[in-house]
Amino acid sequence: MGRGSGRGKSILFGEHFVVYGLPALAAGISAETVALVSRSKDLGWRIDDRRPEVPGYKAKKLDEQTVSINNVLRAAGLDMSDKGVFIEYEGDLVCASGFGASAASCVSLARALSDEFGLEFDDDKINEIAFEGEKGYHGTPSGIDNTASTFGGLVWYVRNLDGGAPTFEKLRLRKSIHLTIASTGLTASTTDVVGDVRAKKDQNPSWFHEIAAEYENLVHQARDALLEFNLDRVGELMNKNHELLQNLTVSCKELDKMVEIARENGASGAKLTGTGRGGNMIAIAPDGGIQKRIGDALERNGAPLVYNTTFGL
Ligand code: MEV
């Protein structure tokens, strides 16, 4: 039996801006999806998906998952017309919008296939295959999710706007950072929200340019602050990044409320993460006690899913 894993992810800085070639910082979180692949005598593939989920997530993504698995198998060079595989998914990463569940499943599957069929793919190849898998979930992914999921730690990521390979750098922090992720329970379509931002940008290029220029300045400062392990400064910059995303119109009242609760309960900083208009919020905390306080406050205020994790190592 072949086995492989892929981490969940969280975009710390740069959702939406990354689409236009600006740098983003993403973290592979400690929770992961595990794929197990065994050969079966029935041709083609079958799955048993035992990943934990927010109700309805897996059913909703079933068609996209089918396209994605076919993409991964094709990119791995496996012709399923003469073989059969049984794919099992498990692990502690909860399937919910914004946790990188789709990327983690693609990465784990690519690794499990490599293991089962003796393909000896290195991480760059796994990342490349997972990117093909991600296309099954949303048409034009930037590639940041599969990169964070493959490499873990912290990734400085710049998309290549000409369609070539992205530039990315793996960063390691001195220590891990406490991260709380909370879901609004609302699912927004990445394709729709990215499309809407693009339409607004095309309508008013100078409006977009001004916000993007501020972001670009901010993300370089965020990188330095993370490497210096200056959590207060990282937090301040997260707060500022949230404001820029509000200006881009991708926040919503539920996200703004959760950001406020996290800050009131001791977060060094908080912002929306991922697509926005629903999805998730993240907050960083200076220690485990404050992280728990933030998580508890969010739960008390009705957040349907709160996840305390770490990133950076
Ligand atoms: C979605 O997790 C992040 C976006 O920047 C889209 C992308 O990078 O593909 C909104």
Side-chain angles (χ1 to χ4, degrees):
M1 180 186 285
R3 188 181 188 285
S5 64
R7 303 250 193 143
K9 73 96 210 325
S10 180
I11 298 181
L12 299 177
F13 292 92
E15 48 281 282
H16 290 284
F17 299 107
V18 69
V19 172
Y20 303 96
L22 296 171
L25 280 158
I29 59 173
S30 51
E32 60 181 21
T33 290
V34 174
L36 306 168
V37 166
S38 45
R39 310 215 193 182
S40 81
K41 40 185 194 322
D42 304 321
L43 297 186
W45 55 267
R46 278 181 312 125
I47 62 168
D48 177 16
D49 192 345
R50 300 190 293 271
R51 294 173 297 165
E53 65 169 334
V54 295
Y57 178 96
K58 289 191 276 190
K60 198 167 168 195
K61 298 268 179 181
L62 206 54
D63 290 345
E64 295 177 357
Q65 185 181 42
T66 302
V67 179
S68 168
I69 291 175
N70 286 333
N71 285 1
V72 168
L73 288 162
R74 195 174 319 111
L78 293 167
D79 176 4
M80 299 311 292
S81 63
D82 60 0
K83 58 179 87 54
V85 289
F86 179 46
I87 302 163
E88 294 164 85
Y89 287 119
E90 53 188 38
D92 60 345
L93 179 67
V94 179
C95 295
S97 277
F99 285 83
S102 62
S105 71
C106 297
V107 170
S108 65
L109 177 58
R111 286 193 168 131
L113 291 167
S114 175
D115 189 26
E116 176 60 22
F117 289 94
L119 301 169
E120 299 189 358
F121 294 146
D122 62 13
D123 280 348
D124 289 325
K125 181 72 182 169
I126 294 291
N127 193 24
E128 211 180 288
I129 295 170
F131 182 56
E132 293 307 310
E134 274 280 89
K135 290 181 185 166
Y137 287 97
H138 63 112
T140 53
S142 66
I144 191 168
D145 288 9
N146 46 281
T147 304
S149 176
T150 302
F151 295 102
L154 198 60
V155 179
W156 172 264
Y157 184 91
V158 186
R159 182 182 196 180
N160 181 332
L161 294 184
D162 299 325
T167 320
F168 64 87
E169 213 181 311
K170 288 168 259 172
L171 309 174
R172 289 275 180 262
L173 300 186
R174 235 182 282 159
K175 289 190 289 182
S176 58
I177 295 180
H178 296 281
L179 182 78
T180 297
I181 310 176
S183 166
T184 57
L186 307 170
T187 305
S189 151
T190 301
T191 311
D192 291 352
V193 181
V194 168
D196 187 47
V197 171
R198 187 178 294 280
K200 288 193 163 63
K201 168 182 175 286
D202 292 348
Q203 237 166 36
N204 193 345
S206 63
W207 161 81
F208 183 84
H209 184 75
E210 214 173 284
I211 301 174
E214 251 193 271
Y215 168 74
E216 189 163 19
N217 181 28
L218 179 153
V219 71
H220 287 277
Q221 295 179 46
R223 178 191 161 121
D224 293 345
L226 280 160
L227 291 175
E228 286 158 12
F229 212 82
N230 183 346
L231 292 197
D232 287 344
R233 182 74 184 132
V234 175
E236 243 174 67
L237 293 164
M238 284 171 74
N239 293 342
K240 181 71 201 158
N241 192 173
H242 184 71
E243 241 177 67
L244 297 179
L245 290 163
Q246 284 175 318
N247 296 347
L248 269 196
T249 75
V250 297
S251 192
C252 61
K253 62 178 191 321
E254 291 82 359
L255 282 166
D256 291 344
K257 179 77 197 157
M258 289 192 340
V259 160
E260 197 185 298
I261 293 169
R263 289 177 191 158
E264 281 168 6
N265 283 278
S268 311
K271 63 183 274 291
L272 75 84
T273 182
T275 303
R277 294 193 190 157
N280 296 345
M281 178 230 61
I282 51 170
I284 60 166
D287 61 52
I290 295 179
Q291 179 184 44
K292 182 166 179 338
R293 193 164 85 205
I294 296 166
D296 290 350
L298 288 163
E299 268 172 1
R300 260 197 326 275
N301 280 278
L305 179 68
V306 177
Y307 215 59
N308 283 331
T309 185
T310 59
F311 72 90
L313 297 179

